[in-house]
Amino acid sequence: MQSSKQLKPPVTETYDSLLAPGQSLNSVTAKISDIILFPVLKTPLGWIIGFVAAGLLLMLYLYSLATLFTVGIGIWGINIPVAWGFDIINFVWWIGIGHAGTLISAILLLFRQDWRTSINRAAEAMTIFAVACAGIYPLIHTGRPWLDYWFLPYPSTLGMWPQFRSPLEWDVFAISTYATVSVLFWFVGLVPDLATLRDRSTSPIAKTLYGLASLGWRGAAKHWQRYEVASLLLAGLSTPLVLSVHSIISFDFAVAQLPGWHVTVFPPYFVAGAVYCGFAMVIVLMIPIRRWFGLEGLITMKHFDVMSKVMLASGMIVTYGYFGEIFYAWYSSSIYEYYLIVNRFTGPYAWSYWSLILFNVLIPQVLWSKKLRQNLPVLFFVSMAINVGMWFERWVIIVLSLHRDFLPSSWASYTPTFYDWSTYIGSFGLFFVLFLLFIRFIPMIAIFEVRDLVHKTTAHTAEHEDSGHAGA
Amino acid sequence: MAQVFNRRTNTIVRLGIFVGVPVILALLTATWWYYTRSDWVRDVGVAHAKVQPAGNIPGAGGYSHQLHVGGLKLDCRYCHTGVEISSNANIPPTETCMGCHAQILPKSTKLEYIRNSYEKDEPVQWNKVNDLPKFVYFNHSIHVAKGVGCSTCHGNIASMAVVYKTEALYMSWCLNCHRAPEKFLRPQSEIFNTAWTPPADQIAQGLKLKKDLNIRTSSQLTNCSICHR
Amino acid sequence: MSKETLDIQTNSGRGYWRSLDDLAQSSEFQARLEREFPSEAAELRDPVTRRSFLKLMGASMALSTLAGCQFAIKQPQEVIVPYVRQPEQVIPGRSLYYATSMTVQGFGIGLLAESHEGRPTKVEGNPDHGASLGGSDAWIQASILTMYDPDRSQQVLNAGKPSTWADAAAALAAAAKSAGNGIRILSEPNASPSLGAAIAALTSTYAGTKWVQYDPISGDNAVDGATQALGAATNVVYAFN
């Protein structure tokens, strides 16, 4: 990144290994920490442009929220019967994106999958920022966000408790637990790297800040032992969350009796969809970042290959869900369920259903080919298609089920307004502002984990004598 | 390179975690408690908070329930005529005061404001003590008819020189009774007894009253639309 | 603002306020608080221009924001204002019903008006009235709003300017004696015998006076049709049996 103005050397891609040849303990630490440790005033222009663009989007977001708070949710296109629109679509979409990070950090850690090491840090950061973006929607969609604390079970003077039988109340606990555990896991994993940065930085301000954040980490054997226990415990805590969070969000729909919502397949289908969409987002983010920061040696084509396979597998589960829905409609012998499917195929919003099938089912089939899996432009395009397709999935579930009520007299249509769009597009501003701050100030690849991988994969040679052990 | 942190840093951080954080949490909780649910913030038990009549009329003697109810044994309904038939208990018109004070203490300067009001046809304004929010529907007549006495909510009025709140009127307080009326019901003969205290077998008597007076079940009484119409 | 500033500085003790005007207790603010309608409401006269509409909306919004600011920690102190002499029938908290009538297209409709401490709040048909048996229509239901309509004429006007009954009588007398065609009275259709008698008295005093009744939404065409069909001005009442 420092040398962004210089011509980059042609990239040699590594296809069969998780590390490019020639990586050493020193080179890994230097490579990752050099992205961060340089004076603020020398921040590369590309980063600044990106940050300004994301900041403008964030301003749009704040403007939309301010309008929402002062005017009310009438600025959105929702009404009865389509009482949920972009707010809940985007909520489910964003929270789904977060799932890849948790899956990578928790489940793959427990399964000792080495390929997670280079991507887990960024994926976990993505999780946290996506959860932040997601969590805002249910808070603002209540219409009176200043009363959102009513969600919480606290001893109120009303003498009443929230409705614990409502899945919307379960959401409160699911999301807040998810956010808390994700932040903790991410931060615990950061501590050794923050200590490395503390030791490598030369500016006293950076030294103090990284020093405070690294909680006095000295790399002692006791520290490492406790670190291992803590991360194992957190991985254990996170693992059920990968499954539970999106299951509970699917209950928001599945517990209702609306055609298209009241389906038992929803929890697994939502979880698979979340992983699908989350991995797509990781790929969308990693392809450009890896190129801009010259991280081809650490994030190799093998990583993308493995992630594509996960995406393909979860995509097939989602596809199974789509066929399942059609089967249930027929098997239920309910005219309402049956009509819902007919309406999806041929109704006024049929275009969104067929877009969903195109983006989520047809386009990702190219991932069966190893050659296309390892072609980054193709992979980028497919991942973008999956992100769009998963957005359409939530649109189809929410809008198409709601706009046809049981009584034809209550039928209506839904058209998003300017503020629906601005609140959605603006939330990317929040996401990218946070993400850009993350890649600027925090090592986006776990240094010590990659060093561990280097240690495992290279022969025991003179590497041991390198002096960079303070942080790892 | 010099150390960034000195030895005391550990102590400071530990103090912060084990003392600072709990103290801040305790302060936040206390502030929240005070401003949202304490009796204090609603002036419960604060005598002289609301001197009657309103508006600091010079020379006006404050109206005393202690004198009229405690001393002279006036019945509540002599002035609060609406209490058995209307949602409002009704603050008496000046006419009611003049009914006695045309004869009793007709020259008292303390009662000047009453006579002025009567002569000039200008109402006396009284400070509202128990002020329910406008989104709450409350009806005195049904409570009085179903065995809820005045003092259950208003306290021992006969002992108050200046009437003050005895309850904070939080919704949870309303629900205390709507969920279990038997704890508070009293016989019809005791409704206007300002010094009534529950007997030892209150629950048994309350349950009997609840049955005799056809009081609805607690699930009906806690229906939202009972109070929020 | 100097007086108000002084007031702010000399006020001491605990107090809660919703705006700077409120804090200063400026006389404009007091006046605005006490008026039932924002003063700009009177601007809503025909023709409603875009400017006056926007001004009015702006003022209402500003006021509603003011009223919506209930972040004060304590409830505001309210006062109870009882009657001096309580009317015999009135029990505060209970509604009183009055039989009344309202002229619709010239005919009186029997109504019941619900009233709380002297303020009508609801109008319904009178079940004891033979013509409606308690029925009503949209016009009758909406008529309660005219009661509180700020545009409702509240005094004698002369060419839009406030005037008095004495001036009106003088103007009428002058008009009757002038060389013109006499007086014209324009009103909605009205079948009231009292009003009819009063106008008959006026007509007999000032010859040449004419009473013109006009209803923008009238049944005149129906009456004209009935005249052509039946030979007399008749209200048609259908018998569906």
Side-chain angles (χ1 to χ4, degrees), chain C residues 108-214:
Chain C
I109 311 286
L111 303 174
L112 271 189
E114 180 181 345
S115 151
H116 289 90
E117 286 109 61
R119 280 177 189 265
T121 53
K122 184 86 174 79
V123 175
E124 277 292 349
N126 187 344
D128 293 338
H129 193 278
S132 68
L133 300 176
S136 69
D137 62 18
W139 296 98
I140 291 170
Q141 292 291 334
S143 67
I144 188 68
L145 298 176
T146 63
M147 180 82 199
Y148 302 101
D149 183 358
D151 278 354
R152 187 184 149 114
S153 184
Q154 293 177 10
Q155 55 189 330
V156 181
L157 293 177
N158 183 8
K161 297 266 167 16
S163 182
T164 61
W165 282 112
D167 288 349
L172 277 179
K177 284 171 195 151
S178 70
N181 288 325
I183 303 169
R184 293 291 179 274
I185 300 166
L186 175 64
S187 79
E188 288 183 351
N190 197 311
S192 159
S194 319
L195 186 67
I199 288 175
L202 190 72
T203 316
S204 63
T205 313
Y206 300 120
T209 299
K210 272 192 184 157
W211 182 16
V212 182
Q213 303 187 34
Y214 173 73

Side-chain angles (χ1 to χ4, degrees), chain A residues 274-317:
Chain A
V275 171
Y276 192 32
C277 176
F279 270 90
M281 195 59 141
V282 173
I283 291 175
V284 165
L285 291 174
M286 287 319 241
I287 289 177
I289 286 175
R290 156 182 194 271
R291 178 86 188 98
W292 289 334
F293 295 97
L295 296 171
E296 286 89 352
L298 300 175
I299 306 171
T300 66
M301 289 311 286
K302 183 150 188 212
H303 285 104
F304 288 110
D305 190 59
V306 177
M307 285 196 279
S308 307
K309 283 179 187 164
V310 174
M311 223 155 64
L312 187 59
S314 51
M316 294 317 288
I317 302 176

Side-chain angles (χ1 to χ4, degrees), chain A residues 269 276 315 318-326 341 344-345 349-365 385-386 388-393 396:
Chain A
Y269 156 57
Y276 192 32
V318 172
T319 307
Y320 172 80
Y322 297 149
F323 284 107
E325 287 187 319
I326 300 171
I341 294 298
R344 280 186 182 177
F345 287 173
Y349 294 110
W351 55 270
S352 61
Y353 184 74
W354 295 116
S355 309
L356 152 72
I357 297 295
L358 173 71
F359 288 128
N360 264 5
V361 177
L362 300 179
I363 292 179
Q365 298 308 317
I386 291 170
V388 175
M390 285 308 292
W391 191 89
F392 271 120
E393 181 193 300
V396 165

Side-chain angles (χ1 to χ4, degrees), chain A residues 113-180:
Chain A
Q113 292 291 313
D114 285 337
W115 60 270
R116 60 178 281 283
T117 49
S118 305
I119 53 171
N120 73 331
R121 174 71 47 72
E124 284 172 37
M126 183 197 76
T127 295
I128 291 163
F129 306 147
V131 171
C133 289
I136 287 171
Y137 283 104
L139 293 180
I140 61 173
H141 96 299
T142 53
R144 298 181 188 178
W146 50 93
L147 299 178
D148 278 344
Y149 62 93
W150 286 4
F151 284 135
L152 302 173
Y154 71 101
S156 77
T157 54
L158 304 180
M160 312 261 284
W161 296 98
Q163 175 56 280
F164 288 114
R165 285 176 292 184
S166 163
L168 304 182
E169 182 63 26
W170 308 343
D171 268 1
V172 176
F173 298 103
I175 295 163
S176 52
T177 312
Y178 188 43
T180 314

Side-chain angles (χ1 to χ4, degrees), chain B residues 45-226:
Chain B
V46 183
H48 309 297
K50 293 179 180 172
V51 179
Q52 308 294 2
N56 293 325
I57 301 167
Y63 176 80
S64 166
H65 277 83
Q66 195 176 36
L67 173 68
H68 290 82
V69 186
L72 303 173
K73 307 286 178 206
L74 278 187
D75 191 284
C76 306
R77 290 162 290 182
Y78 185 79
C79 299
H80 301 295
T81 51
V83 74
E84 288 178 310
I85 47 174
S86 169
S87 56
N88 296 10
N90 192 14
I91 300 298
T94 315
E95 213 170 14
T96 307
C97 311
M98 288 304 284
C100 298
H101 285 294
Q103 306 294 326
I104 303 167
L105 301 175
K107 307 273 184 214
S108 166
T109 51
K110 286 183 177 178
L111 294 170
E112 183 93 41
Y113 71 101
I114 296 286
R115 293 194 297 273
N116 275 345
S117 157
Y118 196 66
E119 281 156 21
K120 295 179 187 164
D121 206 20
E122 280 171 6
V124 183
Q125 302 196 355
W126 306 93
N127 275 320
K128 198 163 188 174
V129 177
N130 289 293
D131 192 1
L132 280 179
K134 299 294 177 284
F135 50 78
V136 180
Y137 175 80
F138 179 82
N139 191 316
H140 274 93
S141 64
I142 188 70
H143 288 86
V144 169
K146 297 287 182 180
V148 182
C150 305
S151 63
T152 301
C153 308
H154 293 290
N156 190 356
I157 290 284
S159 70
M160 299 179 189
V162 174
V163 171
Y164 52 86
K165 268 182 170 178
T166 50
E167 299 294 344
L169 307 183
Y170 289 118
M171 178 171 150
S172 51
W173 171 79
C174 302
L175 284 172
N176 274 348
C177 187
H178 276 226
R179 281 177 175 149
E182 62 273 9
K183 290 189 207 160
F184 304 95
L185 297 182
R186 58 176 91 170
Q188 284 298 307
S189 56
E190 297 295 323
I191 296 289
F192 299 100
N193 177 358
T194 56
W196 185 78
T197 44
D201 59 341
Q202 169 61 28
I203 300 295
Q205 289 208 17
L207 284 171
K208 186 174 177 299
L209 280 168
K210 193 179 165 189
K211 191 163 172 291
D212 295 346
L213 293 168
N214 282 325
I215 290 173
R216 298 195 210 175
T217 62
S218 66
S219 65
Q220 286 170 314
L221 286 178
T222 53
N223 190 313
C224 307
S225 62
I226 285 278

Side-chain angles (χ1 to χ4, degrees), chain C residues 47-126:
Chain C
V48 182
T49 60
R50 185 184 55 85
R51 274 169 155 272
S52 68
F53 177 76
L54 285 178
K55 256 196 315 201
L56 180 59
M57 291 307 289
S60 310
M61 245 159 81
L63 271 183
S64 59
T65 345
L66 198 70
C69 284
Q70 296 185 340
F71 296 112
I73 285 154
K74 291 200 174 187
Q75 280 177 296
Q77 177 60 49
E78 292 186 0
V79 289
I80 302 175
V81 185
Y83 285 100
V84 176
R85 295 173 180 79
Q86 189 161 322
E88 196 183 341
Q89 304 276 334
V90 170
I91 300 160
R94 286 182 71 172
S95 46
L96 267 181
Y97 293 86
Y98 292 93
T100 178
S101 77
M102 170 185 153
T103 307
V104 176
Q105 296 191 352
F107 297 101
I109 311 286
L111 303 174
L112 271 189
E114 180 181 345
S115 151
H116 289 90
E117 286 109 61
R119 280 177 189 265
T121 53
K122 184 86 174 79
V123 175
E124 277 292 349
N126 187 344

